[in-house]
Amino acid sequence: MKILIYSDCFIFGGSEKVIENLLKSDALTNKFDLQFYYAYNKRYKKSIDKKFPNFTNIHSVAIASAFSKWGYESQLTNNKSPLQQLYLKLRYVCSLVFEKTSINNIYNYTQLLTLFKKERPDILYINNGGYPGAQSCRIAALAASKAGISNVVFNVNNLASAQKNKFDIWLDRKVNTAVKVFVTASKAAKEKLIIERKFDACKCVDIPNTLLKEEEVNSKLINGCLRNEFNVKHHEVVIGSAGLLTHRKGFNVLIDAIQLLKEINCQFKVFIFGEGEQRPFLQKMIAYYKLQQVIFLPGFRNNMQKYIIDFDVLVCPSIANEDFPYIILEAMLLRKPIIGTNIAGIPEQVLNNHNGYIIKPGSAQALAEALKKFLFDKEKLKTMGLNSYNRYSNNFSNELIIYQYNQLFNSLN
């Protein structure tokens, strides 16, 4: 069977890891003809070329959206002449106008309909960052229906938002009719999709996220580099976190929690890896609390496993818009206990009092209390870390999750 995967996203981020898992799975590629088409933009293509240097089944398609080459790239105005910057800004404004007036929907529908009629896949797999997410993903479902593709799988990688207007309601009804299966990574995201977007419950399934090349993400094969790079002493507890430095990730709550722990008789250091627009704000918070020698923002790292292996505990303090964080899966495989918030799929990864603690989102006090339980109990760190590893192996291993996708695709034959 031919499976055509379609995605429209401005970066190859967390939601795209689902695609990477599918394309790099021998169990699937030996059985199915997988073809991947993505909405073109330079930044996305750069990631594709890096991650899939020898793949011949990956192609771009010209899609008009604010995320596409007509939109996102027009914001990259550095080192441009004033005239070039004006042109790029006008082009960006035009892309937004096209989006608001639905002119882009007509264009995208035509592009995708032509593609689907040409490729004629047995299954169309639409990978969307969230819902509604990229509008071209919803348009793809409609184009697939017109092209006669009856097996449409729509993957949603975040919590769905509520319907906003009559057009939203109309489009969702069309999507619900065109799609055979909706896939989410968490049960929480599945329920949200049913409640907020009114999709048929019988069409919705949850298949958890998983990690690629698990043998490489293994504590026995990784030498940690965090303690050496940052001169962290052996007796100091390492509290780690990572992600986009943006409001929804809740790193400001973590900093507030550390301020509450400043006077306790325990030596520890905190590392928050990542980049984002909230970096200046977080730096000001750290300076205001005089925590420059305790909390560090080292920036983005490609090889996060080499840093996570030196964490004593991972904190995922998200306050909104999560689903099934990959950083938690990596920490679980690396035998780390986790403190996470009661959001989306996090409580499905972290069982309270088993492989970590689940706390109220946005509560610095609750986070501080959870951290105290680890800071003064090294045996608990070890026990809960082992529980994390066992929970990952039994519920989220690559072999298990790919098997579930295999079963899904086979059921559509």
Tab-separated table of all heavy atoms in Angstrom, residues 66-110:
chain	number	residue	atom	x	y	z
A	66	ALA	N	0.619	31.580	5.875
A	66	ALA	CA	1.557	32.447	6.596
A	66	ALA	C	2.782	31.680	7.042
A	66	ALA	O	3.793	32.268	7.410
A	66	ALA	CB	0.867	33.076	7.801
A	67	PHE	N	2.723	30.322	7.047
A	67	PHE	CA	3.852	29.493	7.432
A	67	PHE	C	4.723	29.128	6.235
A	67	PHE	O	5.785	28.563	6.391
A	67	PHE	CB	3.366	28.207	8.094
A	67	PHE	CG	2.743	28.414	9.432
A	67	PHE	CD1	1.834	27.505	9.937
A	67	PHE	CD2	3.064	29.525	10.205
A	67	PHE	CE1	1.257	27.688	11.184
A	67	PHE	CE2	2.500	29.716	11.445
A	67	PHE	CZ	1.598	28.798	11.932
A	68	SER	N	4.226	29.382	5.033
A	68	SER	CA	4.917	28.904	3.843
A	68	SER	C	5.990	29.879	3.390
A	68	SER	O	6.280	30.874	4.033
A	68	SER	CB	3.907	28.705	2.709
A	68	SER	OG	3.530	29.964	2.183
A	69	LYS	N	6.561	29.616	2.214
A	69	LYS	CA	7.602	30.485	1.674
A	69	LYS	C	7.062	31.879	1.394
A	69	LYS	O	7.810	32.844	1.330
A	69	LYS	CB	8.182	29.891	0.394
A	69	LYS	CG	7.178	29.735	-0.755
A	69	LYS	CD	7.859	29.169	-1.980
A	69	LYS	CE	6.880	29.006	-3.134
A	69	LYS	NZ	7.530	28.471	-4.338
A	70	TRP	N	5.740	32.011	1.224
A	70	TRP	CA	5.161	33.321	0.978
A	70	TRP	C	4.952	34.095	2.267
A	70	TRP	O	4.615	35.259	2.231
A	70	TRP	CB	3.812	33.168	0.269
A	70	TRP	CG	3.923	32.557	-1.087
A	70	TRP	CD1	5.064	32.224	-1.747
A	70	TRP	CD2	2.847	32.187	-1.933
A	70	TRP	NE1	4.773	31.673	-2.954
A	70	TRP	CE2	3.414	31.636	-3.104
A	70	TRP	CE3	1.462	32.268	-1.841
A	70	TRP	CZ2	2.641	31.171	-4.151
A	70	TRP	CZ3	0.695	31.798	-2.878
A	70	TRP	CH2	1.273	31.256	-4.016
A	71	GLY	N	5.062	33.442	3.389
A	71	GLY	CA	4.786	34.099	4.652
A	71	GLY	C	5.962	34.117	5.594
A	71	GLY	O	6.573	35.151	5.834
A	72	TYR	N	6.317	32.932	6.116
A	72	TYR	CA	7.335	32.861	7.159
A	72	TYR	C	8.662	33.446	6.702
A	72	TYR	O	9.291	34.223	7.411
A	72	TYR	CB	7.534	31.412	7.600
A	72	TYR	CG	8.599	31.270	8.663
A	72	TYR	CD1	8.341	31.615	9.978
A	72	TYR	CD2	9.873	30.833	8.335
A	72	TYR	CE1	9.320	31.512	10.942
A	72	TYR	CE2	10.857	30.724	9.293
A	72	TYR	CZ	10.570	31.067	10.602
A	72	TYR	OH	11.542	30.979	11.546
A	73	GLU	N	9.098	33.099	5.494
A	73	GLU	CA	10.400	33.557	5.038
A	73	GLU	C	10.436	35.075	4.833
A	73	GLU	O	11.491	35.693	4.918
A	73	GLU	CB	10.773	32.846	3.726
A	73	GLU	CG	11.117	31.393	3.934
A	73	GLU	CD	11.341	30.678	2.611
A	73	GLU	OE1	11.664	31.343	1.630
A	73	GLU	OE2	11.181	29.467	2.591
A	74	SER	N	9.265	35.667	4.599
A	74	SER	CA	9.245	37.111	4.401
A	74	SER	C	9.549	37.871	5.680
A	74	SER	O	9.801	39.067	5.660
A	74	SER	CB	7.874	37.539	3.875
A	74	SER	OG	6.877	37.334	4.853
A	75	GLN	N	9.533	37.161	6.817
A	75	GLN	CA	9.901	37.802	8.083
A	75	GLN	C	11.415	37.826	8.283
A	75	GLN	O	11.923	38.526	9.160
A	75	GLN	CB	9.247	37.052	9.243
A	75	GLN	CG	7.730	37.035	9.173
A	75	GLN	CD	7.151	36.201	10.275
A	75	GLN	OE1	7.271	36.539	11.447
A	75	GLN	NE2	6.520	35.092	9.920
A	76	LEU	N	12.131	37.037	7.504
A	76	LEU	CA	13.581	36.941	7.659
A	76	LEU	C	14.244	38.078	6.886
A	76	LEU	O	14.758	37.906	5.791
A	76	LEU	CB	14.070	35.585	7.152
A	76	LEU	CG	13.355	34.368	7.754
A	76	LEU	CD1	13.924	33.084	7.176
A	76	LEU	CD2	13.462	34.359	9.260
A	77	THR	N	14.205	39.280	7.469
A	77	THR	CA	14.606	40.479	6.736
A	77	THR	C	16.006	40.971	7.081
A	77	THR	O	16.389	42.062	6.674
A	77	THR	CB	13.598	41.617	7.001
A	77	THR	OG1	13.537	41.859	8.417
A	77	THR	CG2	12.208	41.231	6.503
A	78	ASN	N	16.760	40.221	7.842
A	78	ASN	CA	18.121	40.639	8.177
A	78	ASN	C	18.991	40.697	6.925
A	78	ASN	O	18.853	39.897	6.020
A	78	ASN	CB	18.744	39.679	9.190
A	78	ASN	CG	18.047	39.754	10.530
A	78	ASN	OD1	17.450	40.777	10.859
A	78	ASN	ND2	18.108	38.680	11.293
A	79	ASN	N	19.898	41.669	6.895
A	79	ASN	CA	20.859	41.822	5.797
A	79	ASN	C	20.179	42.077	4.452
A	79	ASN	O	20.689	41.714	3.395
A	79	ASN	CB	21.775	40.589	5.682
A	79	ASN	CG	22.534	40.324	6.968
A	79	ASN	OD1	23.018	41.254	7.603
A	79	ASN	ND2	22.621	39.064	7.354
A	80	LYS	N	18.999	42.695	4.483
A	80	LYS	CA	18.294	43.058	3.261
A	80	LYS	C	18.313	44.575	3.089
A	80	LYS	O	18.348	45.320	4.065
A	80	LYS	CB	16.834	42.584	3.308
A	80	LYS	CG	16.655	41.100	3.558
A	80	LYS	CD	17.054	40.268	2.352
A	80	LYS	CE	16.745	38.793	2.595
A	80	LYS	NZ	17.161	37.933	1.473
A	81	SER	N	18.288	45.020	1.849
A	81	SER	CA	18.211	46.452	1.578
A	81	SER	C	16.825	46.956	1.962
A	81	SER	O	15.870	46.165	2.048
A	81	SER	CB	18.470	46.722	0.103
A	81	SER	OG	17.388	46.249	-0.677
A	82	PRO	N	16.660	48.275	2.182
A	82	PRO	CA	15.331	48.815	2.528
A	82	PRO	C	14.263	48.444	1.501
A	82	PRO	O	13.123	48.143	1.867
A	82	PRO	CB	15.574	50.324	2.564
A	82	PRO	CG	17.010	50.459	2.930
A	82	PRO	CD	17.697	49.316	2.253
A	83	LEU	N	14.632	48.454	0.218
A	83	LEU	CA	13.676	48.114	-0.824
A	83	LEU	C	13.284	46.631	-0.742
A	83	LEU	O	12.107	46.267	-0.884
A	83	LEU	CB	14.259	48.415	-2.205
A	83	LEU	CG	13.308	48.243	-3.400
A	83	LEU	CD1	12.117	49.193	-3.251
A	83	LEU	CD2	14.044	48.507	-4.710
A	84	GLN	N	14.280	45.764	-0.477
A	84	GLN	CA	13.996	44.344	-0.336
A	84	GLN	C	13.124	44.071	0.878
A	84	GLN	O	12.198	43.254	0.835
A	84	GLN	CB	15.309	43.560	-0.220
A	84	GLN	CG	16.102	43.451	-1.515
A	84	GLN	CD	17.449	42.778	-1.290
A	84	GLN	OE1	18.152	43.071	-0.308
A	84	GLN	NE2	17.832	41.884	-2.197
A	85	GLN	N	13.397	44.781	1.966
A	85	GLN	CA	12.601	44.605	3.166
A	85	GLN	C	11.153	45.032	2.937
A	85	GLN	O	10.212	44.369	3.405
A	85	GLN	CB	13.199	45.401	4.327
A	85	GLN	CG	14.533	44.848	4.819
A	85	GLN	CD	14.978	45.478	6.125
A	85	GLN	OE1	14.152	45.819	6.956
A	85	GLN	NE2	16.271	45.633	6.299
A	86	LEU	N	10.969	46.132	2.206
A	86	LEU	CA	9.621	46.595	1.891
A	86	LEU	C	8.882	45.559	1.065
A	86	LEU	O	7.703	45.254	1.322
A	86	LEU	CB	9.689	47.923	1.134
A	86	LEU	CG	8.338	48.497	0.664
A	86	LEU	CD1	7.444	48.782	1.870
A	86	LEU	CD2	8.557	49.759	-0.162
A	87	TYR	N	9.580	44.993	0.071
A	87	TYR	CA	8.975	43.973	-0.784
A	87	TYR	C	8.568	42.747	0.032
A	87	TYR	O	7.455	42.213	-0.113
A	87	TYR	CB	9.961	43.566	-1.888
A	87	TYR	CG	9.593	42.278	-2.591
A	87	TYR	CD1	8.515	42.227	-3.470
A	87	TYR	CD2	10.316	41.115	-2.361
A	87	TYR	CE1	8.161	41.045	-4.092
A	87	TYR	CE2	9.983	39.925	-2.981
A	87	TYR	CZ	8.904	39.893	-3.853
A	87	TYR	OH	8.567	38.718	-4.466
A	88	LEU	N	9.457	42.302	0.925
A	88	LEU	CA	9.170	41.129	1.732
A	88	LEU	C	8.008	41.380	2.691
A	88	LEU	O	7.156	40.503	2.889
A	88	LEU	CB	10.417	40.713	2.515
A	88	LEU	CG	11.572	40.157	1.679
A	88	LEU	CD1	12.814	39.993	2.532
A	88	LEU	CD2	11.181	38.824	1.050
A	89	LYS	N	7.951	42.575	3.248
A	89	LYS	CA	6.849	42.908	4.155
A	89	LYS	C	5.520	42.941	3.409
A	89	LYS	O	4.498	42.458	3.912
A	89	LYS	CB	7.119	44.248	4.839
A	89	LYS	CG	8.216	44.174	5.894
A	89	LYS	CD	8.507	45.547	6.487
A	89	LYS	CE	9.642	45.455	7.520
A	89	LYS	NZ	9.977	46.787	8.072
A	90	LEU	N	5.537	43.504	2.205
A	90	LEU	CA	4.320	43.550	1.392
A	90	LEU	C	3.869	42.135	1.027
A	90	LEU	O	2.683	41.823	1.037
A	90	LEU	CB	4.561	44.371	0.121
A	90	LEU	CG	4.648	45.889	0.308
A	90	LEU	CD1	5.056	46.575	-0.998
A	90	LEU	CD2	3.317	46.450	0.807
A	91	ARG	N	4.839	41.285	0.711
A	91	ARG	CA	4.526	39.905	0.361
A	91	ARG	C	3.917	39.181	1.558
A	91	ARG	O	2.975	38.391	1.416
A	91	ARG	CB	5.772	39.181	-0.134
A	91	ARG	CG	5.471	37.837	-0.799
A	91	ARG	CD	6.697	37.256	-1.467
A	91	ARG	NE	7.668	36.783	-0.490
A	91	ARG	CZ	8.763	36.103	-0.818
A	91	ARG	NH1	9.040	35.854	-2.084
A	91	ARG	NH2	9.601	35.705	0.112
A	92	TYR	N	4.458	39.460	2.735
A	92	TYR	CA	3.930	38.848	3.942
A	92	TYR	C	2.507	39.314	4.215
A	92	TYR	O	1.620	38.520	4.542
A	92	TYR	CB	4.833	39.171	5.130
A	92	TYR	CG	4.357	38.583	6.436
A	92	TYR	CD1	4.128	37.213	6.551
A	92	TYR	CD2	4.138	39.388	7.544
A	92	TYR	CE1	3.698	36.657	7.747
A	92	TYR	CE2	3.699	38.839	8.740
A	92	TYR	CZ	3.482	37.482	8.836
A	92	TYR	OH	3.047	36.937	10.016
A	93	VAL	N	2.270	40.622	4.059
A	93	VAL	CA	0.925	41.167	4.254
A	93	VAL	C	-0.057	40.528	3.271
A	93	VAL	O	-1.180	40.171	3.627
A	93	VAL	CB	0.932	42.700	4.101
A	93	VAL	CG1	-0.497	43.245	4.059
A	93	VAL	CG2	1.698	43.350	5.250
A	94	CYS	N	0.381	40.366	2.039
A	94	CYS	CA	-0.469	39.735	1.021
A	94	CYS	C	-0.826	38.304	1.423
A	94	CYS	O	-1.971	37.866	1.239
A	94	CYS	CB	0.231	39.730	-0.333
A	94	CYS	SG	0.292	41.350	-1.138
A	95	SER	N	0.152	37.585	1.973
A	95	SER	CA	-0.117	36.200	2.382
A	95	SER	C	-1.154	36.166	3.493
A	95	SER	O	-2.008	35.273	3.533
A	95	SER	CB	1.180	35.516	2.834
A	95	SER	OG	1.601	35.984	4.096
A	96	LEU	N	-1.101	37.152	4.411
A	96	LEU	CA	-2.085	37.220	5.486
A	96	LEU	C	-3.469	37.568	4.941
A	96	LEU	O	-4.483	37.027	5.392
A	96	LEU	CB	-1.656	38.246	6.536
A	96	LEU	CG	-0.400	37.906	7.353
A	96	LEU	CD1	-0.084	39.031	8.323
A	96	LEU	CD2	-0.573	36.598	8.108
A	97	VAL	N	-3.510	38.475	3.966
A	97	VAL	CA	-4.780	38.842	3.338
A	97	VAL	C	-5.391	37.632	2.644
A	97	VAL	O	-6.589	37.352	2.769
A	97	VAL	CB	-4.590	39.999	2.334
A	97	VAL	CG1	-5.867	40.224	1.528
A	97	VAL	CG2	-4.202	41.280	3.071
A	98	PHE	N	-4.547	36.897	1.915
A	98	PHE	CA	-5.027	35.692	1.244
A	98	PHE	C	-5.597	34.696	2.245
A	98	PHE	O	-6.598	34.032	1.990
A	98	PHE	CB	-3.895	35.028	0.454
A	98	PHE	CG	-3.469	35.790	-0.764
A	98	PHE	CD1	-2.249	35.532	-1.365
A	98	PHE	CD2	-4.274	36.772	-1.308
A	98	PHE	CE1	-1.850	36.224	-2.482
A	98	PHE	CE2	-3.887	37.473	-2.433
A	98	PHE	CZ	-2.668	37.209	-3.022
A	99	GLU	N	-4.922	34.614	3.413
A	99	GLU	CA	-5.362	33.667	4.429
A	99	GLU	C	-6.698	34.091	5.029
A	99	GLU	O	-7.605	33.280	5.204
A	99	GLU	CB	-4.303	33.537	5.528
A	99	GLU	CG	-4.610	32.459	6.543
A	99	GLU	CD	-3.471	32.248	7.522
A	99	GLU	OE1	-2.535	33.047	7.528
A	99	GLU	OE2	-3.543	31.268	8.278
A	100	LYS	N	-6.827	35.389	5.356
A	100	LYS	CA	-8.050	35.889	5.981
A	100	LYS	C	-9.241	35.839	5.035
A	100	LYS	O	-10.383	35.653	5.464
A	100	LYS	CB	-7.834	37.325	6.483
A	100	LYS	CG	-6.805	37.465	7.602
A	100	LYS	CD	-7.243	36.714	8.860
A	100	LYS	CE	-6.239	36.895	9.990
A	100	LYS	NZ	-6.625	36.119	11.198
A	101	THR	N	-8.996	36.018	3.759
A	101	THR	CA	-10.090	36.028	2.773
A	101	THR	C	-10.334	34.656	2.157
A	101	THR	O	-11.199	34.504	1.291
A	101	THR	CB	-9.789	37.040	1.654
A	101	THR	OG1	-8.540	36.688	1.033
A	101	THR	CG2	-9.701	38.448	2.211
A	102	SER	N	-9.538	33.653	2.578
A	102	SER	CA	-9.660	32.268	2.087
A	102	SER	C	-9.241	32.087	0.636
A	102	SER	O	-9.495	31.029	0.052
A	102	SER	CB	-11.096	31.751	2.279
A	102	SER	OG	-11.373	31.567	3.651
A	103	ILE	N	-8.602	33.089	0.037
A	103	ILE	CA	-8.070	32.900	-1.310
A	103	ILE	C	-7.031	31.779	-1.302
A	103	ILE	O	-6.957	30.969	-2.227
A	103	ILE	CB	-7.444	34.216	-1.841
A	103	ILE	CG1	-8.534	35.270	-2.032
A	103	ILE	CG2	-6.707	33.979	-3.155
A	103	ILE	CD1	-8.004	36.635	-2.420
A	104	ASN	N	-6.240	31.746	-0.214
A	104	ASN	CA	-5.219	30.695	-0.115
A	104	ASN	C	-5.842	29.305	-0.031
A	104	ASN	O	-5.266	28.326	-0.503
A	104	ASN	CB	-4.302	30.948	1.082
A	104	ASN	CG	-5.025	30.824	2.404
A	104	ASN	OD1	-6.190	31.189	2.514
A	104	ASN	ND2	-4.351	30.328	3.412
A	105	ASN	N	-7.035	29.203	0.572
A	105	ASN	CA	-7.695	27.905	0.668
A	105	ASN	C	-8.049	27.348	-0.704
A	105	ASN	O	-7.931	26.148	-0.950
A	105	ASN	CB	-8.966	28.020	1.517
A	105	ASN	CG	-8.664	28.195	2.996
A	105	ASN	OD1	-7.600	27.792	3.468
A	105	ASN	ND2	-9.574	28.801	3.728
A	106	ILE	N	-8.495	28.236	-1.586
A	106	ILE	CA	-8.833	27.813	-2.944
A	106	ILE	C	-7.582	27.330	-3.672
A	106	ILE	O	-7.577	26.276	-4.323
A	106	ILE	CB	-9.497	28.972	-3.722
A	106	ILE	CG1	-10.802	29.388	-3.024
A	106	ILE	CG2	-9.759	28.578	-5.170
A	106	ILE	CD1	-11.415	30.660	-3.580
A	107	TYR	N	-6.511	28.104	-3.541
A	107	TYR	CA	-5.245	27.730	-4.172
A	107	TYR	C	-4.726	26.405	-3.615
A	107	TYR	O	-4.336	25.503	-4.363
A	107	TYR	CB	-4.218	28.838	-3.965
A	107	TYR	CG	-2.821	28.474	-4.414
A	107	TYR	CD1	-2.455	28.557	-5.751
A	107	TYR	CD2	-1.874	28.038	-3.496
A	107	TYR	CE1	-1.183	28.218	-6.168
A	107	TYR	CE2	-0.592	27.688	-3.900
A	107	TYR	CZ	-0.256	27.783	-5.235
A	107	TYR	OH	1.012	27.443	-5.634
A	108	ASN	N	-4.725	26.293	-2.287
A	108	ASN	CA	-4.208	25.080	-1.651
A	108	ASN	C	-5.050	23.855	-1.998
A	108	ASN	O	-4.514	22.759	-2.203
A	108	ASN	CB	-4.157	25.259	-0.130
A	108	ASN	CG	-3.124	26.283	0.296
A	108	ASN	OD1	-2.207	26.594	-0.456
A	108	ASN	ND2	-3.275	26.814	1.499
A	109	TYR	N	-6.348	24.041	-2.055
A	109	TYR	CA	-7.238	22.938	-2.422
A	109	TYR	C	-6.894	22.425	-3.817
A	109	TYR	O	-6.798	21.206	-4.040
A	109	TYR	CB	-8.688	23.421	-2.380
A	109	TYR	CG	-9.710	22.374	-2.748
A	109	TYR	CD1	-10.207	21.481	-1.797
A	109	TYR	CD2	-10.194	22.276	-4.048
A	109	TYR	CE1	-11.143	20.516	-2.128
A	109	TYR	CE2	-11.129	21.311	-4.398
A	109	TYR	CZ	-11.609	20.441	-3.435
A	109	TYR	OH	-12.534	19.483	-3.779
A	110	THR	N	-6.668	23.350	-4.742
A	110	THR	CA	-6.322	22.976	-6.112
A	110	THR	C	-4.982	22.247	-6.155
A	110	THR	O	-4.830	21.211	-6.821
A	110	THR	CB	-6.260	24.212	-7.025
A	110	THR	OG1	-7.514	24.891	-6.965
A	110	THR	CG2	-5.962	23.832	-8.460
